[in-house]
Amino acid sequence: MTALLLAMAPAFADSNLPPARLADTQLPDPRQEAEAKALMETLRCLVCQGQSIADSDAEMAGDMRALVRQRIAAGEQPEHIRDWLVQRYGDYVTYDPPFSWLTAPLWIAPLLLLVAGLLIARRSFGKGDPAEQGEEP
């Protein structure tokens, strides 16, 4: 019974409410819609985490798309909307977090892993056959 309930849990993740107005409707002004779309591509869906809010089908992503379109339609600049969302949800909402002490591991970890991989590869492949090097086994 527990397994059945766990298997059905994703079906109840979203509410039965209709999507937010402007969540899936483009703005009438093509310039404003282009601004909104460009901003939505840079914002991470907090539910899916691997998709932008432009690509996600999650209810929260729809709400965020609607919010972006409403604010763009009201004349607000995309940078101000982005800053407001970062203040509300933190740096994780953006795909390009600024460098700070909190985000330093995100920026430094790939470099450290690359150096570690190179060192391991050098040690593994740097040792040739002892007979070729003139040493006895």
Side-chain angles (χ1 to χ4, degrees), residues 22-106:
L22 295 176
D24 300 317
T25 305
Q26 294 186 353
L27 294 171
D29 182 358
R31 184 190 58 78
Q32 287 182 331
E33 180 61 28
E35 284 181 354
K37 183 74 170 173
L39 177 59
M40 288 185 279
E41 291 289 336
T42 67
L43 298 172
R44 182 188 318 263
C45 175
L46 299 173
V47 176
C48 303
Q49 299 178 0
Q51 292 180 309
S52 69
I53 63 169
D55 299 329
S56 175
D57 291 330
E59 186 176 354
M60 184 171 191
D63 292 343
M64 291 174 75
R65 284 192 305 270
L67 181 127
V68 167
R69 285 187 173 118
Q70 288 168 355
R71 288 181 166 221
I72 292 280
E76 196 169 339
Q77 294 297 315
E79 299 82 30
H80 295 159
I81 300 167
R82 180 185 174 100
D83 292 343
W84 182 82
L85 288 168
V86 167
Q87 285 177 348
R88 184 167 185 179
Y89 298 111
D91 289 328
Y92 188 75
V93 76
T94 179
Y95 278 115
D96 188 22
F99 188 82
S100 69
W101 287 109
L102 292 174
T103 60
L106 295 173

Side-chain angles (χ1 to χ4, degrees), residues 122-137:
R122 184 171 180 226
R123 284 188 181 167
S124 298
F125 298 117
K127 297 179 183 177
D129 186 21
E132 291 178 6
Q133 297 175 359
E135 300 175 5
E136 293 184 27

